[in-house]
Amino acid sequence: MSSRGNLSLPQLAERYHIRDIFGGSVAYFSSKEGGQSDLRSYTNSISCHELHLIRSGRVSVAVGGDSRELHSGDLMLLHPFQPVDCSFPDDATTEGLLLEDGFYQQLLQLDGSDSPLMPKEGDGPCVYHLDAAQVAELSGIFQQIRRTIHYVHIYKVEMLRSLVHVCLLFISELPFDHNIVAPDLRHKQDILKIFFFLARKHFRQERQIGFYADKLNITTTYLSRVVRELTGNTINNYLNNLAFEEACNLLRSADMPMGEIAFTLGFSDQSAFTNFFKSHAGCSPKEYKKLGRR
């Protein structure tokens, strides 16, 4: 059985062939890749926070002298330096996250909160039992984090923090007798900030929620909920208001043909732009332009 001892996250990644890693902060691992990116068996103390989801098969785990067998759908959470001894058969498949403690502590400090989001030193083994739908949803969040690790974006760190928060908040809603996960809204504020940045940059040509959800690597449902919760407005209204304000600015200050304005704002034709403008202003673009020049 291999030993992790007190290896750092990059050292763990090297030893276990984990390729989905961002600096020394967060890593995704899986046993579905022909032995690559795998944590098959290990012993001694872990060096970072670990979320380990059993996808299939059975695994034997001893945590702090407490032995148990985990089955498909079980999620095990471990804190740094927690004594653990795991043995995963070849037919078992697992996936999960490794979080460096400094990265995790930053999540706690974002809102000035010291409430634990993961097991802390002294806590016993923490295991959740997920049904098939919960496994699929959590695995989907893991995959979003995995994609973001390789994503090139100015707000990549914020996006990873937000997605890890989403993951931990999802776990906080699972039934557990000693629920240690505290809700935290900072990840939603990060998502909103990035959405505003992207919206200002792309609203002229992109006003579909799917475009922004893809950029953020989250679902359209979750993005809609975040924006409505924090602003009281819908994404559709917000983007359309941006387009309407820009249309007014162009009509007042730019000597552009109506068809060119329609094209600039991403409308299929001048008629579609006119209908959109009337629904917001109560008059046609031509009428508004005449009023603006009086």
Side-chain angles (χ1 to χ4, degrees), residues 86-129:
C86 297
S87 177
F88 297 175
D90 290 340
D91 61 351
T93 59
T94 72
E95 66 175 331
L97 299 178
L98 298 172
L99 308 176
E100 189 269 331
D101 188 57
F103 176 82
Y104 168 74
Q105 293 300 328
Q106 290 176 358
L107 299 182
L108 292 183
Q109 296 169 8
L110 288 175
D111 287 321
S113 171
D114 59 359
S115 299
L117 300 171
M118 287 283 289
K120 57 185 178 180
E121 188 173 356
D123 288 333
C126 182
V127 176
Y128 293 87
H129 307 287

Side-chain angles (χ1 to χ4, degrees), residues 37-280:
S37 189
D38 189 16
L39 293 175
R40 179 59 58 180
S41 63
Y42 49 90
T43 188
N44 292 336
S45 298
I46 69 172
S47 62
C48 51
H49 301 271
E50 181 175 328
L51 295 78
H52 212 133
L53 177 63
I54 312 303
R55 297 302 307 272
S56 66
R58 299 182 179 183
V59 302
S60 300
V61 178
V63 183
D66 183 355
S67 299
R68 62 176 63 193
E69 188 175 77
L70 303 182
H71 306 267
S72 175
D74 287 347
L75 171 67
M76 177 178 63
L77 307 183
L78 299 173
H79 65 69
F81 311 116
Q82 188 168 16
V84 61
D85 191 344
C86 297
S87 177
F88 297 175
D90 290 340
D91 61 351
T93 59
T94 72
E95 66 175 331
L97 299 178
L98 298 172
L99 308 176
E100 189 269 331
D101 188 57
F103 176 82
Y104 168 74
Q105 293 300 328
Q106 290 176 358
L107 299 182
L108 292 183
Q109 296 169 8
L110 288 175
D111 287 321
S113 171
D114 59 359
S115 299
L117 300 171
M118 287 283 289
K120 57 185 178 180
E121 188 173 356
D123 288 333
C126 182
V127 176
Y128 293 87
H129 307 287
L130 284 63
D131 61 29
Q134 292 167 335
V135 168
E137 187 168 356
L138 181 59
S139 180
I141 298 172
F142 285 164
Q143 291 303 318
Q144 290 175 349
I145 293 171
R146 182 187 194 183
R147 289 192 296 269
T148 303
I149 285 173
H150 301 286
Y151 192 47
V152 178
H153 197 284
I154 187 173
Y155 288 119
K156 180 173 181 174
V157 174
E158 289 83 356
M159 292 168 69
L160 282 171
R161 287 174 181 163
S162 297
L163 287 168
V164 172
H165 269 288
V166 170
C167 181
L168 296 177
L169 288 170
F170 170 82
I171 294 171
S172 76
E173 298 176 355
L174 297 173
F176 184 66
D177 292 339
H178 304 287
N179 197 332
I180 58 165
V181 185
D184 179 32
L185 295 178
R186 177 63 188 202
H187 78 286
K188 296 181 180 179
Q189 296 169 349
D190 288 339
I191 287 175
L192 186 65
K193 177 176 65 175
I194 299 169
F195 167 70
F196 283 161
F197 169 81
L198 293 172
R200 288 285 178 181
K201 184 177 181 180
H202 297 287
F203 77 89
R204 293 171 184 83
Q205 296 297 320
E206 299 289 349
R207 289 191 288 279
Q208 297 297 319
I209 183 174
F211 171 84
Y212 297 96
D214 288 344
K215 287 287 187 182
L216 286 161
N217 275 339
I218 59 178
T219 66
T220 56
T221 301
Y222 188 74
L223 178 56
S224 296
R225 187 164 73 243
V226 167
V227 173
R228 181 183 285 276
E229 179 181 329
L230 297 186
T231 69
N233 199 3
T234 67
I235 291 177
N236 185 60
N237 285 341
Y238 179 76
L239 294 171
N240 284 338
N241 286 338
L242 288 179
F244 175 67
E245 291 173 4
E246 182 71 356
C248 292
N249 289 335
L250 293 174
L251 290 168
R252 285 195 304 263
S253 60
D255 190 17
M256 295 171 61
M258 210 63 64
E260 186 176 347
I261 293 177
F263 176 79
T264 299
L265 294 178
F267 291 95
S268 58
D269 53 39
Q270 185 173 329
S271 177
F273 170 63
T274 298
N275 291 335
F276 168 84
F277 193 87
K278 279 184 176 180
S279 69
H280 284 75

